[in-house]
Amino acid sequence: MKKILLCLFLVLSMISLGCSAQVQASADSIRSSRLLRLAARCRYGIRVDVNTVKAAKIYTYLYKQGNMAAANDLGEMYLDGDGVKKDPEIAKFLFAKAAKKGNTKAMCNLAFMYQKGLDGEIRPTIAYKLYKKASEKGDAQGAYGAGYLLYKGEGVEQNYDKAIDFLSKGAEKKVAGCNLLLGLYYAHGYNGSPDYEKAKKRFDLASEESHDWTVNLTDLLDSIKEFNCKSNRRWSDGGWYFNGCQKT
């Protein structure tokens, strides 16, 4: 009987410890979420005065506790010199660490650094791999990055079909840049011949998504129409045809 009671006591103790651990983990998660929100408020001045130094300190504390969302945000601050001394190398280290843990925002930030050479060397091939990985995890910005590089042929072989696949995924999540590139794709007729109706639809969506374009998209579409008309050009089999003469 004593053995049975002892076993029962041990089982109940283990259950109690497990519940306590879960409660503590839940409390830590809630506290971290609150601190992340506070840091964001200080960083962007949401209902409080802007205090980027305080935001950076909060992100640093959370990063040291293993919070990878904070690591990414802190990396952004080091990249911009916002609240801390500008240091691309520290930013890159933080992005890489968070990306390794599966943070898709960090993957895209790291990819952007490689794409633009913000660490001193342009490496679009690595950027593409990171964007692609982020996209595969459902990140819309990753879809835009991978689609853009495929569309432009930077770091990878230019491939409009693959680019459109990525850009369409990003467009579904209302990424303005994706709709802009899709509009250009249809306007220029890279799918065989210009489709101005589809192009206009994509440009309208891009405008609605509150992107501050440096060019009026309606005027852009009109200029593309005029150019296509004057040049009498069409896209076929990987090259442009001007009045019957192919120019790749």
Side-chain angles (χ1 to χ4, degrees):
M1 186 66 180
K2 289 182 179 180
K3 289 183 178 180
I4 295 174
L5 290 173
L6 180 59
C7 289
L8 181 60
F9 173 76
L10 290 173
V11 170
L12 291 173
S13 296
M14 291 175 68
I15 292 174
S16 177
L17 288 171
C19 289
S20 297
Q22 289 179 351
V23 169
Q24 183 61 46
S26 178
D28 289 343
S29 178
I30 292 171
R31 184 166 183 269
S32 294
S33 296
R34 288 176 176 171
L35 285 174
L36 279 173
R37 288 196 295 271
L38 175 60
R41 288 175 60 191
C42 292
R43 183 180 178 186
Y44 300 111
I46 303 172
R47 297 192 299 276
V48 297
D49 291 336
V50 173
N51 190 334
T52 54
V53 173
K54 182 177 180 180
K57 288 181 178 178
I58 296 172
Y59 286 138
T60 299
Y61 167 78
L62 289 171
Y63 158 63
K64 290 181 177 179
Q65 300 299 312
N67 189 300
M68 292 299 106
N72 174 70
D73 291 336
L74 184 60
E76 291 177 349
M77 299 190 80
Y78 272 105
L79 187 61
D80 297 333
D82 192 14
V84 291
K85 185 178 179 181
K86 186 172 182 177
D87 193 324
E89 285 302 317
I90 293 178
K92 181 181 174 183
F93 170 81
L94 290 167
F95 292 150
K97 190 157 188 176
K100 190 175 182 180
K101 294 290 185 179
N103 187 290
T104 56
K105 288 184 178 180
M107 290 178 196
C108 291
N109 280 327
L110 184 59
F112 185 76
M113 288 193 72
Y114 285 129
Q115 180 186 350
K116 299 299 182 181
L118 299 182
D119 65 335
E121 185 179 353
I122 297 176
R123 284 170 282 187
T125 302
I126 298 177
Y128 171 74
K129 291 178 180 179
L130 286 164
Y131 281 135
K132 183 173 181 288
K133 185 175 181 180
S135 176
E136 290 169 349
K137 289 180 175 290
D139 190 281
Q141 197 60 39
Y144 171 70
Y148 177 90
L149 293 176
L150 283 164
Y151 190 94
K152 296 291 186 178
E154 295 180 12
V156 289
E157 184 178 352
Q158 189 176 50
N159 188 312
Y160 287 121
D161 289 339
K162 288 184 179 179
I164 296 312
D165 285 342
F166 280 109
L167 295 172
S168 296
K169 291 177 183 177
E172 288 174 1
K173 297 184 179 181
K174 299 183 178 182
V175 177
C178 289
N179 276 312
L180 173 64
L181 288 179
L182 287 170
L184 290 171
Y185 171 79
Y186 290 120
H188 286 299
Y190 293 151
N191 60 329
S193 61
D195 189 328
Y196 300 125
E197 186 176 340
K198 285 186 177 181
K200 184 180 184 305
K201 180 181 178 181
R202 290 296 179 176
F203 283 161
D204 287 345
L205 287 170
S207 296
E208 290 170 8
E209 286 154 358
S210 302
H211 196 291
D212 296 328
W213 304 112
T214 57
V215 62
N216 183 294
L217 297 185
T218 299
D219 292 343
L220 175 62
L221 182 56
D222 287 341
S223 68
I224 293 173
K225 286 181 181 179
E226 184 179 359
F227 178 75
N228 287 345
C229 182
K230 286 182 177 179
S231 63
N232 189 28
R233 70 177 191 166
R234 63 188 179 88
W235 175 265
S236 179
D237 298 327
W240 286 114
Y241 283 82
F242 293 80
N243 297 316
C245 299
Q246 186 184 28
K247 295 184 179 181
T248 58

